Amino acid sequence: MEQTTNQKKVILSGIQPTGVFTLGNYLGAIRNWVVLQEEYRCAYMIADLHSITVRQEPAKLRQQILSAFATLLACGIDPEKSLVFIQSQVPQHAELSWVLSCYTQFGELSRMTQFKDKSAKHADNVNAGLFTYPALMAADILLYQADLVPVGVDQKQHLELTRDVAVRFNNAYSDTFTLPEPYIPKVGAKIMSLADPTKKMSKSDENPNGFVTILDGPDVIIRKFKRAVTDSDTRVCYAEGKDGINNLMTIYSVVTGKTLDEVEREFEGKGYGDFKLAVGEAVSDHLRPVREEHKRLLADKAYLEQVYSEGARRAQQIAQRTLSKVYRKVGFVPVK
Ligand code: TYM
């Protein structure tokens, strides 16, 4: 991640520790993060500042942050290759967020679909943080001068706003921020709920049958796939109106590396029951090593502490370079 050592492109992404990561998080984002670290200078963070826009229970949040951090490592994020850190341990995120919120318009924030969805869902707590959340996300990305941001489809609108804010700032004060591009996978960018395949799979879904988490055991995973909502047809094929089957085919295709055509051929003449079981087994097998490694890492508190503390120190150094530049351009007076 050191900016002076080579000219590889910079990647930044983050994930909220608001529950165990879902299969959607994994297939839409984390799986790609692991691949990208071979070719880019990558920074990945647990977005814990973002998660308090919705009420969290402190002891549970603390445990979830650590578990989420261990999950990233268990999925294959390698601290030798990537910078991996916890957002709240790098104060520059909150500092730049304030500056950027002064360059983000009320109208722009009002148009964010995530804000509209979350404020409808938590009508009793439509706080200012929920509203200005995209300015914090812009700070996360712009602090590291990221070229690419690997995310699922649902984060695309926030990325567009980040670019708009960066352009606005650059135009006002001369070039300061690199303009980031979203990096959205062709397959798996929007994994749907197993209980309602017209809705995105989400860790905050009230219906536990809607999502599978990365850490679920084989029995739970297979049971949830067996129950997955499909249609009244019987043929396993990818087609309009077959949201449930399309979703299962996508999952199976990503997890096994087979194309959709190959999947269709494999299940020709077989029913939905066989197919659902096969998807459940494939997902469970794929996630077994992650589950085991997570358990091992979570028991090794000293190692986790060392990795996130080192990550925070390195992240602070990189972030401070950008923040100092921004403060200078805005007209603040530095400490002498
Ligand atoms: P979060 O925590 O909701 O999700 C983390 C990542 O998982 C992707 N994702 C999905 N992909 C496919 N199918 C799904 N059903 C699915 N559900 C979630 C998300 O698109 C995301 O890439 N605001 C962000 C976290 C964040 C961030 C950042 C991301 C904070 N700062 C800076 C990138 C850059 C969020 O809430 O993601």
Side-chain angles (χ1 to χ4, degrees):
M1 191 61 211
E2 293 317 315
Q3 305 212 329
T4 47
T5 50
N6 55 39
Q7 290 309 308
K8 284 183 182 173
K9 285 197 168 167
V10 175
I11 296 236
L12 177 123
S13 203
I15 185 162
Q16 292 195 54
T18 38
V20 181
F21 302 158
T22 68
L23 187 63
N25 294 133
Y26 180 72
L27 299 182
I30 303 171
R31 187 178 58 96
N32 300 308
W33 299 3
V34 175
V35 177
L36 291 165
Q37 62 183 347
E38 303 303 329
E39 273 190 56
Y40 299 91
R41 279 181 289 151
C42 298
Y44 299 123
M45 58 163 208
I46 299 300
D48 56 347
L49 292 177
H50 280 93
S51 65
I52 62 163
T53 52
V54 172
R55 288 284 167 268
Q56 306 289 342
E57 210 259 291
K60 197 167 155 212
L61 180 61
R62 197 168 296 122
Q63 182 271 326
Q64 283 180 176
I65 293 168
L66 293 174
S67 175
F69 191 81
T71 309
L72 286 191
L73 302 187
C75 287
I77 303 297
D78 179 353
E80 299 284 318
K81 294 179 183 156
S82 300
L83 173 57
V84 47
F85 64 96
I86 298 172
Q87 184 189 30
S88 64
Q89 297 182 345
V90 184
Q92 290 83 357
H93 288 249
E95 293 175 271
L96 182 61
S97 164
W98 170 252
V99 177
L100 296 182
S101 70
C102 299
Y103 294 81
T104 311
Q105 298 302 306
F106 181 87
E108 289 176 309
L109 293 171
S110 312
R111 286 194 289 277
M112 294 294 116
T113 51
Q114 185 171 310
F115 171 69
K116 290 189 217 167
D117 291 350
K118 284 209 175 169
S119 48
K121 204 166 157 198
H122 304 276
D124 56 338
N125 184 22
V126 184
N127 58 72
L130 193 62
F131 189 62
T132 59
Y133 175 117
L136 177 58
M137 186 160 156
D140 300 337
I141 297 167
L142 300 178
L143 274 175
Y144 299 85
Q145 307 289 356
D147 297 288
L148 293 173
V149 183
V151 284
V153 162
D154 62 334
Q155 296 299 321
K156 196 164 169 246
Q157 199 186 24
H158 290 155
L159 251 282
E160 283 158 7
L161 181 59
T162 299
R163 281 177 67 92
D164 292 344
V165 172
V167 167
R168 191 170 299 147
F169 194 95
N170 285 352
N171 286 344
Y173 300 100
S174 78
D175 258 6
T176 309
F177 298 123
T178 303
L179 298 187
E181 301 271 355
Y183 182 100
I184 296 173
K186 287 197 183 65
V187 188
K190 191 170 186 189
I191 300 296
M192 310 308 278
S193 156
L194 300 184
D196 176 358
T198 59
K199 265 182 23 193
K200 181 187 84 161
M201 183 183 284
S202 161
K203 44 179 141 43
S204 54
D205 194 336
E206 274 142 32
N207 182 354
N209 289 322
F211 60 91
V212 161
T213 82
I214 308 194
L215 303 178
D216 282 340
D219 296 350
V220 175
I221 295 181
I222 289 167
R223 177 167 46 79
K224 288 188 180 177
F225 275 101
K226 274 192 185 161
R227 283 198 191 163
V229 170
T230 46
D231 50 68
S232 54
D233 189 19
T234 51
R235 227 165 73 79
V236 177
C237 65
Y238 200 97
E240 191 150 345
K242 289 170 71 83
D243 296 327
I245 287 295
N246 294 349
N247 190 39
L248 296 184
M249 285 181 74
T250 302
I251 294 171
Y252 190 71
S253 156
V254 181
V255 165
T256 60
K258 294 175 185 165
T259 65
L260 293 174
D261 281 346
E262 286 168 345
V263 178
E264 201 170 315
R265 259 179 274 131
E266 183 177 343
F267 291 94
E268 219 169 278
K270 294 188 186 146
Y272 283 178
D274 288 342
F275 178 53
K276 288 181 186 177
L277 180 63
V279 183
E281 284 174 346
V283 168
S284 168
D285 286 352
H286 188 83
L287 294 177
R288 178 174 302 113
V290 175
R291 239 171 9 241
E292 290 170 0
E293 182 63 359
H294 174 266
K295 200 169 161 204
R296 193 188 69 75
L297 283 167
L298 207 55
D300 195 348
K301 290 267 177 311
Y303 174 72
L304 289 179
E305 270 173 28
Q306 181 223 315
V307 176
Y308 66 67
S309 303
E310 176 57 22
R313 277 190 283 275
R314 286 178 57 210
Q316 285 172 16
Q317 275 175 9
I318 297 170
Q320 187 56 45
R321 270 184 246 161
T322 303
L323 187 69
S324 299
K325 205 156 124 186
V326 168
Y327 272 24
R328 197 172 59 243
K329 294 203 182 191
V330 167
F332 294 157
V333 178
V335 177
K336 288 290 176 202

